[in-house]
Amino acid sequence: LFSIFGAPGAGKSFIAADLACTIGCSRTDLVPLWFGNAVQKRGPVLYVAAESSRKHIENRFAALKAEHPALKDSDVRIVPLSLDLLHA
């Protein structure tokens, strides 16, 4: 379990989507790399979209998978969940 935080427009959701797809990569014929590091332990990923709409996040995942076909069949489930961390 982890969270990513930073300034708006810094690329947080792209980094999170890329990592989620790499961990969720179901291909057994390769060891996926994430920024040059081999990802040995893989499995299903639950992505909680706490800031963006489900459609917005799904579009980002689709763009990522189009750019990196090896990640096309990644096992990633997206859960839209509004979460206010500032006033919890």
Side-chain angles (χ1 to χ4, degrees):
L1 178 63
F2 73 95
S3 66
I4 296 174
F5 60 92
K12 298 174 299 288
S13 60
F14 286 109
I15 293 291
D18 189 40
L19 181 58
C21 285
T22 303
I23 292 171
C25 182
S26 59
R27 292 190 50 184
T28 57
D29 61 329
L30 59 84
V31 175
L33 298 176
W34 194 68
F35 288 91
N37 298 297
V39 176
Q40 300 294 336
K41 293 187 178 184
R42 296 176 279 167
V45 174
L46 181 65
Y47 185 100
V48 178
E51 293 183 358
S52 299
S53 70
R54 180 182 187 115
K55 189 65 178 164
H56 181 74
I57 294 298
E58 285 175 344
N59 287 342
R60 290 194 176 193
F61 274 91
L64 176 68
K65 290 177 179 183
E67 185 68 25
H68 302 285
L71 302 177
K72 182 177 65 96
D73 296 322
S74 293
D75 188 6
V76 178
R77 308 277 192 252
I78 300 170
V79 176
L81 177 69
S82 294
L83 188 62
D84 184 356
L85 295 175
L86 295 175
H87 302 98

Coordinates of all heavy atoms in Angstrom, one line a residue:
L1 N 0.9 -1.2 0.0 CA 0.0 0.0 0.0 C 0.9 1.2 0.0 O 1.8 1.3 0.8 CB -0.9 0.0 1.2 CG -1.8 1.1 1.4 CD1 -2.8 1.2 0.3 CD2 -2.5 1.0 2.8
F2 N 0.6 2.2 -0.9 CA 1.4 3.4 -0.9 C 0.5 4.5 -1.5 O -0.5 4.2 -2.1 CB 2.7 3.2 -1.7 CG 2.5 3.1 -3.1 CD1 2.6 4.2 -4.0 CD2 2.3 1.9 -3.7 CE1 2.5 4.1 -5.3 CE2 2.2 1.8 -5.1 CZ 2.3 2.9 -5.9
S3 N 1.0 5.7 -1.3 CA 0.3 6.9 -2.0 C 1.4 7.7 -2.6 O 2.5 7.7 -2.2 CB -0.5 7.7 -0.9 OG 0.4 8.2 0.0
I4 N 1.0 8.5 -3.6 CA 1.8 9.4 -4.3 C 1.2 10.8 -4.1 O 0.0 11.0 -4.3 CB 2.0 9.0 -5.8 CG1 2.6 7.7 -5.9 CG2 2.8 10.1 -6.5 CD1 2.6 7.2 -7.3
F5 N 2.1 11.8 -3.7 CA 1.5 13.1 -3.6 C 2.5 14.1 -4.2 O 3.7 13.8 -4.4 CB 1.3 13.5 -2.2 CG 2.5 13.4 -1.3 CD1 3.3 14.5 -1.0 CD2 2.8 12.2 -0.6 CE1 4.4 14.5 -0.2 CE2 3.9 12.1 0.2 CZ 4.7 13.3 0.4
G6 N 2.0 15.3 -4.6 CA 2.9 16.3 -5.2 C 2.0 17.4 -5.8 O 0.8 17.4 -5.7
A7 N 2.7 18.3 -6.4 CA 2.0 19.5 -7.0 C 1.1 19.0 -8.2 O 1.3 18.0 -8.9 CB 3.0 20.5 -7.5
P8 N 0.0 19.8 -8.4 CA -0.9 19.5 -9.6 C 0.0 19.5 -10.9 O 0.8 20.4 -11.0 CB -1.9 20.6 -9.5 CG -1.9 21.1 -8.1 CD -0.5 20.9 -7.6
G9 N -0.3 18.6 -11.8 CA 0.4 18.6 -13.0 C 1.8 18.0 -13.0 O 2.5 18.0 -14.0
A10 N 2.2 17.4 -11.9 CA 3.5 16.9 -11.8 C 3.7 15.5 -12.4 O 4.8 15.0 -12.5 CB 3.9 16.8 -10.3
G11 N 2.6 14.9 -12.8 CA 2.7 13.5 -13.4 C 2.4 12.4 -12.5 O 2.8 11.2 -12.8
K12 N 1.8 12.6 -11.3 CA 1.6 11.6 -10.3 C 0.8 10.4 -10.8 O 1.1 9.3 -10.6 CB 0.9 12.2 -9.1 CG 1.7 13.3 -8.4 CD 0.8 13.9 -7.3 CE -0.4 14.6 -7.7 NZ -0.3 15.8 -8.5
S13 N -0.3 10.7 -11.5 CA -1.2 9.6 -12.0 C -0.5 8.8 -13.1 O -0.8 7.6 -13.2 CB -2.6 10.2 -12.4 OG -2.4 11.1 -13.5
F14 N 0.3 9.5 -13.9 CA 1.0 8.7 -14.9 C 2.0 7.7 -14.3 O 2.2 6.6 -14.7 CB 1.7 9.6 -15.9 CG 0.7 10.3 -16.9 CD1 0.4 11.6 -16.8 CD2 0.1 9.5 -17.9 CE1 -0.5 12.2 -17.7 CE2 -0.8 10.1 -18.7 CZ -1.1 11.4 -18.6
I15 N 2.7 8.2 -13.3 CA 3.7 7.4 -12.6 C 3.0 6.2 -11.9 O 3.4 5.0 -12.0 CB 4.5 8.2 -11.5 CG1 5.4 9.2 -12.2 CG2 5.3 7.3 -10.6 CD1 6.6 8.6 -13.0
A16 N 1.9 6.5 -11.2 CA 1.1 5.5 -10.5 C 0.5 4.4 -11.5 O 0.6 3.2 -11.3 CB 0.0 6.1 -9.7
A17 N 0.0 4.9 -12.7 CA -0.5 4.0 -13.7 C 0.6 3.1 -14.2 O 0.4 1.9 -14.4 CB -1.2 4.8 -14.8
D18 N 1.7 3.7 -14.5 CA 2.8 2.9 -15.1 C 3.3 1.8 -14.1 O 3.5 0.7 -14.5 CB 4.0 3.9 -15.4 CG 5.1 3.2 -16.2 OD1 4.8 2.4 -17.1 OD2 6.3 3.5 -15.9
L19 N 3.4 2.2 -12.8 CA 3.8 1.2 -11.8 C 2.8 0.2 -11.6 O 3.1 -1.0 -11.6 CB 4.1 1.9 -10.5 CG 4.5 1.0 -9.3 CD1 5.8 0.3 -9.7 CD2 4.7 1.9 -8.1
A20 N 1.5 0.6 -11.6 CA 0.4 -0.4 -11.4 C 0.4 -1.4 -12.6 O 0.3 -2.6 -12.4 CB -0.9 0.3 -11.4
C21 N 0.5 -1.0 -13.8 CA 0.5 -1.9 -15.0 C 1.8 -2.8 -15.0 O 1.7 -3.9 -15.4 CB 0.5 -1.1 -16.3 SG -1.1 -0.4 -16.6
T22 N 2.9 -2.3 -14.5 CA 4.1 -3.1 -14.5 C 4.0 -4.2 -13.4 O 4.3 -5.3 -13.7 CB 5.3 -2.2 -14.2 OG1 5.4 -1.2 -15.2 CG2 6.6 -3.0 -14.2
I23 N 3.5 -3.8 -12.3 CA 3.3 -4.9 -11.2 C 2.2 -5.8 -11.6 O 2.3 -7.0 -11.4 CB 2.9 -4.2 -9.9 CG1 4.1 -3.4 -9.3 CG2 2.4 -5.2 -8.9 CD1 3.8 -2.6 -8.1
G24 N 1.2 -5.4 -12.3 CA 0.1 -6.2 -12.7 C 0.3 -7.0 -14.0 O -0.6 -7.7 -14.5
C25 N 1.5 -6.8 -14.6 CA 1.8 -7.5 -15.9 C 1.7 -9.0 -15.8 O 2.3 -9.6 -14.9 CB 3.2 -7.1 -16.3 SG 3.7 -7.8 -17.9
S26 N 0.8 -9.6 -16.6 CA 0.5 -11.0 -16.5 C 1.4 -11.8 -17.4 O 1.2 -13.1 -17.4 CB -0.9 -11.2 -16.7 OG -1.3 -10.8 -18.0
R27 N 2.2 -11.2 -18.2 CA 3.0 -12.0 -19.2 C 4.1 -12.8 -18.5 O 4.8 -12.2 -17.7 CB 3.6 -11.1 -20.2 CG 2.6 -10.5 -21.1 CD 3.2 -9.7 -22.3 NE 4.2 -10.5 -23.0 CZ 4.9 -10.0 -24.0 NH1 4.7 -8.8 -24.4 NH2 5.8 -10.8 -24.6
T28 N 4.2 -14.0 -18.7 CA 5.2 -14.9 -18.1 C 6.4 -15.0 -18.9 O 7.4 -15.6 -18.4 CB 4.6 -16.3 -17.8 OG1 4.2 -16.9 -19.0 CG2 3.4 -16.2 -16.8
D29 N 6.4 -14.5 -20.1 CA 7.6 -14.7 -21.0 C 8.6 -13.5 -20.8 O 9.6 -13.5 -21.5 CB 7.1 -14.8 -22.4 CG 6.4 -13.5 -22.9 OD1 5.7 -12.9 -22.1 OD2 6.5 -13.2 -24.1
L30 N 8.3 -12.6 -19.9 CA 9.3 -11.5 -19.7 C 9.3 -11.0 -18.3 O 8.3 -11.3 -17.5 CB 9.0 -10.3 -20.7 CG 7.7 -9.7 -20.6 CD1 7.6 -8.6 -19.5 CD2 7.4 -9.0 -21.9
V31 N 10.3 -10.4 -17.9 CA 10.4 -9.7 -16.5 C 10.3 -8.3 -16.8 O 11.2 -7.7 -17.4 CB 11.7 -10.0 -15.8 CG1 11.8 -9.2 -14.5 CG2 11.8 -11.5 -15.5
P32 N 9.1 -7.6 -16.5 CA 9.0 -6.2 -16.8 C 9.9 -5.3 -16.0 O 10.4 -5.7 -14.9 CB 7.5 -6.0 -16.4 CG 7.2 -7.0 -15.4 CD 8.0 -8.2 -15.7
L33 N 10.3 -4.2 -16.7 CA 11.2 -3.3 -16.1 C 10.4 -2.0 -15.8 O 9.5 -1.6 -16.5 CB 12.3 -2.9 -17.0 CG 13.2 -4.0 -17.4 CD1 14.2 -3.5 -18.5 CD2 14.0 -4.6 -16.2
W34 N 10.7 -1.4 -14.6 CA 10.1 -0.1 -14.2 C 11.2 0.8 -14.0 O 12.0 0.7 -13.0 CB 9.2 -0.3 -13.0 CG 8.3 0.9 -12.8 CD1 7.3 1.4 -13.6 CD2 8.4 1.9 -11.8 NE1 6.8 2.5 -13.1 CE2 7.4 2.9 -12.0 CE3 9.3 2.0 -10.7 CZ2 7.3 4.0 -11.1 CZ3 9.1 3.1 -9.8 CH2 8.1 4.1 -10.1
F35 N 11.4 1.8 -14.9 CA 12.6 2.7 -14.9 C 13.9 1.9 -14.7 O 14.8 2.3 -14.0 CB 12.4 3.7 -13.8 CG 11.3 4.7 -14.1 CD1 10.0 4.5 -13.6 CD2 11.6 5.9 -14.8 CE1 9.0 5.5 -13.9 CE2 10.6 6.8 -15.1 CZ 9.3 6.6 -14.7
G36 N 14.0 0.9 -15.5 CA 15.3 0.1 -15.5 C 15.4 -0.9 -14.4 O 16.4 -1.6 -14.4
N37 N 14.4 -1.0 -13.5 CA 14.5 -2.0 -12.4 C 13.6 -3.2 -12.7 O 12.4 -3.0 -13.0 CB 14.1 -1.3 -11.1 CG 15.0 -0.2 -10.8 OD1 16.2 -0.4 -10.6 ND2 14.5 1.0 -10.7
A38 N 14.1 -4.4 -12.6 CA 13.3 -5.6 -12.8 C 12.2 -5.7 -11.7 O 12.5 -5.5 -10.5 CB 14.1 -6.8 -12.9
V39 N 11.0 -6.0 -12.1 CA 9.9 -6.2 -11.2 C 9.7 -7.7 -11.1 O 9.2 -8.3 -12.0 CB 8.6 -5.5 -11.6 CG1 7.5 -5.8 -10.7 CG2 8.9 -4.0 -11.7
Q40 N 10.2 -8.3 -10.0 CA 10.2 -9.8 -9.8 C 8.8 -10.2 -9.2 O 8.4 -11.3 -9.6 CB 11.3 -10.2 -8.9 CG 12.7 -9.9 -9.4 CD 13.1 -10.6 -10.7 OE1 12.5 -11.7 -11.0 NE2 13.9 -10.0 -11.5
K41 N 8.3 -9.5 -8.3 CA 7.0 -9.9 -7.7 C 5.9 -9.2 -8.4 O 5.9 -7.9 -8.3 CB 7.1 -9.6 -6.2 CG 8.0 -10.5 -5.5 CD 7.9 -10.3 -4.0 CE 8.9 -11.2 -3.3 NZ 8.8 -11.1 -1.8
R42 N 5.0 -9.9 -9.0 CA 3.9 -9.3 -9.7 C 2.6 -9.9 -9.2 O 2.6 -11.0 -8.6 CB 4.0 -9.5 -11.2 CG 5.3 -8.8 -11.7 CD 5.5 -9.1 -13.2 NE 6.1 -10.5 -13.3 CZ 6.2 -11.1 -14.4 NH1 5.7 -10.6 -15.5 NH2 6.8 -12.3 -14.5
G43 N 1.5 -9.2 -9.5 CA 0.2 -9.7 -9.1 C -0.9 -8.7 -9.4 O -0.6 -7.6 -9.9
P44 N -2.1 -9.0 -9.0 CA -3.2 -8.1 -9.3 C -3.0 -6.8 -8.5 O -2.4 -6.8 -7.4 CB -4.4 -8.8 -8.8 CG -4.0 -10.2 -8.6 CD -2.5 -10.3 -8.4
V45 N -3.5 -5.7 -9.1 CA -3.3 -4.4 -8.5 C -4.7 -3.8 -8.4 O -5.5 -3.8 -9.3 CB -2.5 -3.5 -9.4 CG1 -2.4 -2.0 -8.8 CG2 -1.1 -4.0 -9.5
L46 N -5.0 -3.2 -7.2 CA -6.2 -2.4 -7.0 C -5.8 -0.9 -6.9 O -5.1 -0.5 -6.1 CB -6.8 -2.8 -5.6 CG -8.1 -2.1 -5.3 CD1 -9.2 -2.5 -6.3 CD2 -8.5 -2.4 -3.9
Y47 N -6.2 -0.2 -7.9 CA -5.9 1.2 -8.1 C -7.1 2.0 -7.6 O -8.2 2.0 -8.2 CB -5.6 1.5 -9.6 CG -5.1 2.9 -9.8 CD1 -3.8 3.2 -10.0 CD2 -6.0 4.0 -9.9 CE1 -3.3 4.5 -10.3 CE2 -5.5 5.3 -10.2 CZ -4.2 5.5 -10.4 OH -3.8 6.8 -10.6
V48 N -6.9 2.8 -6.5 CA -7.9 3.6 -6.0 C -7.8 5.0 -6.5 O -6.8 5.7 -6.2 CB -7.9 3.7 -4.4 CG1 -9.0 4.6 -3.9 CG2 -8.0 2.3 -3.8
A49 N -8.7 5.4 -7.4 CA -8.7 6.7 -8.1 C -9.3 7.7 -7.1 O -10.5 8.0 -7.3 CB -9.3 6.6 -9.4
A50 N -8.6 8.3 -6.2 CA -9.1 9.1 -5.2 C -9.3 10.6 -5.7 O -10.1 11.3 -5.0 CB -8.2 9.1 -4.0
E51 N -8.7 11.0 -6.7 CA -8.8 12.4 -7.2 C -9.5 12.6 -8.5 O -10.0 13.7 -8.8 CB -7.4 13.0 -7.2 CG -6.7 13.2 -5.9 CD -5.4 13.9 -6.0 OE1 -5.0 14.2 -7.1 OE2 -4.8 14.1 -4.9
S52 N -9.4 11.6 -9.3 CA -9.9 11.8 -10.7 C -11.1 10.8 -10.9 O -11.3 9.9 -10.2 CB -8.9 11.5 -11.7 OG -7.8 12.3 -11.6
S53 N -11.9 11.2 -12.0 CA -13.0 10.3 -12.3 C -12.5 9.0 -12.9 O -11.4 8.9 -13.4 CB -13.9 11.0 -13.3 OG -13.3 11.1 -14.6
R54 N -13.3 8.0 -12.8 CA -13.0 6.7 -13.3 C -12.6 6.8 -14.8 O -11.7 6.2 -15.3 CB -14.1 5.7 -13.1 CG -13.8 4.3 -13.6 CD -15.0 3.3 -13.4 NE -14.5 2.0 -13.8 CZ -14.5 1.0 -12.9 NH1 -14.8 1.2 -11.7 NH2 -14.1 -0.2 -13.3
K55 N -13.4 7.5 -15.6 CA -13.2 7.6 -17.0 C -11.9 8.3 -17.3 O -11.1 7.9 -18.2 CB -14.4 8.4 -17.7 CG -14.3 8.4 -19.2 CD -14.5 7.0 -19.7 CE -14.5 7.0 -21.2 NZ -14.4 5.7 -21.7
H56 N -11.5 9.3 -16.6 CA -10.3 10.0 -16.7 C -9.1 9.1 -16.5 O -8.1 9.0 -17.3 CB -10.2 11.2 -15.7 CG -9.0 12.0 -15.8 ND1 -8.7 12.9 -16.9 CD2 -7.9 12.1 -15.0 CE1 -7.5 13.5 -16.7 NE2 -7.0 13.0 -15.5
I57 N -9.1 8.3 -15.4 CA -8.1 7.3 -15.1 C -8.0 6.2 -16.2 O -7.0 5.8 -16.6 CB -8.2 6.8 -13.7 CG1 -8.0 7.9 -12.7 CG2 -7.3 5.6 -13.4 CD1 -6.7 8.5 -12.6
E58 N -9.2 5.7 -16.6 CA -9.2 4.6 -17.6 C -8.6 5.1 -18.9 O -7.9 4.4 -19.5 CB -10.6 4.2 -17.8 CG -11.2 3.3 -16.7 CD -12.6 2.9 -16.9 OE1 -13.3 3.5 -17.7 OE2 -13.1 2.0 -16.1
N59 N -8.8 6.4 -19.2 CA -8.2 6.9 -20.5 C -6.7 7.0 -20.3 O -5.9 6.7 -21.3 CB -8.7 8.3 -20.7 CG -10.1 8.4 -21.3 OD1 -10.6 7.3 -21.7 ND2 -10.8 9.5 -21.2
R60 N -6.2 7.3 -19.1 CA -4.7 7.3 -18.9 C -4.1 5.9 -19.0 O -3.1 5.7 -19.6 CB -4.4 7.9 -17.6 CG -4.7 9.4 -17.6 CD -4.1 10.1 -16.5 NE -4.3 11.6 -16.6 CZ -3.8 12.5 -16.0 NH1 -2.9 12.2 -15.1 NH2 -4.1 13.8 -16.2
F61 N -4.8 4.9 -18.4 CA -4.4 3.5 -18.5 C -4.4 3.1 -20.0 O -3.5 2.4 -20.4 CB -5.2 2.6 -17.7 CG -4.8 2.5 -16.2 CD1 -5.3 3.4 -15.3 CD2 -3.8 1.6 -15.8 CE1 -4.8 3.3 -14.0 CE2 -3.4 1.5 -14.5 CZ -3.9 2.4 -13.6
A62 N -5.4 3.4 -20.7 CA -5.5 3.0 -22.1 C -4.3 3.6 -22.9 O -3.7 2.9 -23.8 CB -6.8 3.5 -22.7
A63 N -4.0 4.9 -22.7 CA -2.9 5.5 -23.4 C -1.6 4.8 -23.0 O -0.7 4.6 -23.9 CB -2.8 7.0 -23.0
L64 N -1.4 4.5 -21.8 CA -0.2 3.8 -21.3 C 0.0 2.5 -22.0 O 1.0 2.1 -22.5 CB -0.2 3.7 -19.8 CG 1.0 2.9 -19.2 CD1 2.3 3.7 -19.4 CD2 0.7 2.6 -17.8
K65 N -1.1 1.7 -22.0 CA -1.1 0.4 -22.6 C -0.9 0.4 -24.1 O -0.3 -0.4 -24.7 CB -2.3 -0.4 -22.3 CG -2.4 -0.8 -20.8 CD -3.7 -1.5 -20.4 CE -3.7 -1.8 -19.0 NZ -4.9 -2.6 -18.6
A66 N -1.4 1.5 -24.8 CA -1.2 1.7 -26.2 C 0.3 2.0 -26.5 O 0.8 1.5 -27.5 CB -2.1 2.8 -26.8
E67 N 0.9 2.7 -25.6 CA 2.3 3.1 -25.8 C 3.3 1.9 -25.5 O 4.3 1.8 -26.0 CB 2.7 4.3 -24.9 CG 4.1 4.8 -25.1 CD 4.3 5.5 -26.4 OE1 3.3 5.9 -27.0 OE2 5.5 5.5 -26.8
H68 N 2.8 1.0 -24.5 CA 3.7 -0.1 -24.1 C 2.8 -1.4 -24.2 O 2.2 -1.8 -23.2 CB 4.1 0.1 -22.6 CG 4.9 1.3 -22.4 ND1 6.2 1.4 -22.8 CD2 4.5 2.5 -21.9 CE1 6.6 2.6 -22.5 NE2 5.6 3.3 -21.9
P69 N 2.8 -2.0 -25.4 CA 1.9 -3.2 -25.6 C 2.2 -4.4 -24.7 O 1.3 -5.1 -24.4 CB 2.3 -3.6 -27.1 CG 2.8 -2.3 -27.7 CD 3.5 -1.6 -26.6
A70 N 3.4 -4.5 -24.1 CA 3.7 -5.6 -23.2 C 2.8 -5.5 -21.9 O 2.6 -6.4 -21.2 CB 5.1 -5.6 -22.8
L71 N 2.3 -4.3 -21.6 CA 1.4 -4.0 -20.5 C 0.0 -4.2 -20.8 O -0.9 -4.0 -19.9 CB 1.7 -2.7 -19.9 CG 3.2 -2.4 -19.5 CD1 3.3 -0.9 -19.0 CD2 3.7 -3.4 -18.4
K72 N -0.4 -4.5 -22.0 CA -1.8 -4.6 -22.4 C -2.7 -5.4 -21.6 O -3.8 -5.1 -21.3 CB -1.8 -5.1 -23.9 CG -3.2 -5.1 -24.5 CD -3.2 -5.5 -25.9 CE -2.8 -6.9 -26.1 NZ -3.7 -7.9 -26.2
D73 N -2.2 -6.6 -21.1 CA -3.0 -7.5 -20.3 C -2.8 -7.4 -18.8 O -3.0 -8.4 -18.1 CB -2.8 -8.9 -20.8 CG -3.2 -9.1 -22.3 OD1 -4.3 -8.5 -22.6 OD2 -2.6 -9.8 -23.0
S74 N -2.3 -6.3 -18.4 CA -2.0 -6.1 -16.9 C -3.3 -6.3 -16.1 O -4.4 -5.8 -16.6 CB -1.4 -4.7 -16.7 OG -0.2 -4.6 -17.2
D75 N -3.2 -6.9 -15.0 CA -4.3 -7.1 -14.1 C -4.4 -6.0 -13.1 O -3.9 -6.0 -12.0 CB -4.1 -8.5 -13.4 CG -5.4 -8.9 -12.6 OD1 -6.4 -8.2 -12.7 OD2 -5.3 -9.9 -11.9
V76 N -5.2 -4.9 -13.5 CA -5.3 -3.7 -12.7 C -6.8 -3.5 -12.6 O -7.5 -3.4 -13.6 CB -4.6 -2.5 -13.3 CG1 -4.9 -1.3 -12.5 CG2 -3.1 -2.8 -13.5
R77 N -7.3 -3.3 -11.4 CA -8.7 -3.0 -11.2 C -8.8 -1.5 -10.7 O -8.0 -1.2 -9.8 CB -9.4 -3.9 -10.1 CG -9.2 -5.3 -10.4 CD -10.3 -5.9 -11.3 NE -10.2 -7.3 -11.3 CZ -9.8 -8.0 -12.3 NH1 -9.3 -7.4 -13.4 NH2 -9.8 -9.3 -12.3
I78 N -9.7 -0.7 -11.2 CA -9.8 0.7 -10.9 C -11.0 0.9 -10.0 O -12.1 0.5 -10.4 CB -9.8 1.6 -12.1 CG1 -8.5 1.4 -12.9 CG2 -10.0 3.0 -11.7 CD1 -8.6 2.0 -14.3
V79 N -10.8 1.5 -8.9 CA -11.9 1.8 -8.0 C -12.0 3.3 -7.8 O -11.1 4.0 -7.3 CB -11.7 1.2 -6.6 CG1 -12.8 1.6 -5.6 CG2 -11.6 -0.3 -6.6
P80 N -13.1 3.9 -8.3 CA -13.3 5.4 -8.1 C -13.8 5.6 -6.7 O -14.7 5.1 -6.2 CB -14.4 5.7 -9.1 CG -15.2 4.5 -9.3 CD -14.2 3.3 -9.1
L81 N -13.0 6.5 -6.0 CA -13.3 6.8 -4.6 C -13.0 8.2 -4.3 O -11.8 8.5 -4.3 CB -12.6 5.8 -3.7 CG -12.7 6.0 -2.2 CD1 -14.1 5.6 -1.8 CD2 -11.7 5.1 -1.5
S82 N -13.9 9.0 -4.0 CA -13.6 10.4 -3.6 C -13.1 10.3 -2.2 O -13.7 9.7 -1.3 CB -14.9 11.2 -3.7 OG -15.3 11.4 -5.0
L83 N -12.0 11.0 -1.9 CA -11.4 10.9 -0.6 C -10.8 12.3 -0.3 O -9.9 12.7 -1.1 CB -10.3 9.8 -0.7 CG -9.6 9.5 0.6 CD1 -10.6 8.9 1.6 CD2 -8.5 8.4 0.3
D84 N -11.2 12.9 0.7 CA -10.7 14.2 1.1 C -9.7 14.0 2.3 O -10.1 13.8 3.4 CB -11.9 15.1 1.6 CG -11.4 16.5 1.9 OD1 -10.2 16.8 1.9 OD2 -12.3 17.4 2.2
L85 N -8.5 14.0 2.0 CA -7.4 13.8 3.0 C -7.1 15.0 3.8 O -6.5 14.9 4.9 CB -6.1 13.3 2.3 CG -6.2 11.9 1.6 CD1 -4.9 11.6 0.9 CD2 -6.6 10.8 2.6
L86 N -7.5 16.2 3.3 CA -7.3 17.4 4.1 C -8.2 17.6 5.2 O -7.9 18.3 6.2 CB -7.3 18.6 3.1 CG -6.2 18.6 2.1 CD1 -6.4 19.8 1.2 CD2 -4.9 18.7 2.7
H87 N -9.4 17.0 5.1 CA -10.5 17.3 6.1 C -11.0 16.0 6.7 O -12.1 15.9 7.2 CB -11.6 18.1 5.5 CG -11.2 19.4 5.0 ND1 -10.9 19.6 3.6 CD2 -10.9 20.6 5.6 CE1 -10.5 20.8 3.4 NE2 -10.5 21.4 4.6
A88 N -10.2 15.0 6.8 CA -10.7 13.7 7.3 C -10.6 13.6 8.8 O -9.8 14.2 9.4 CB -9.8 12.5 6.7

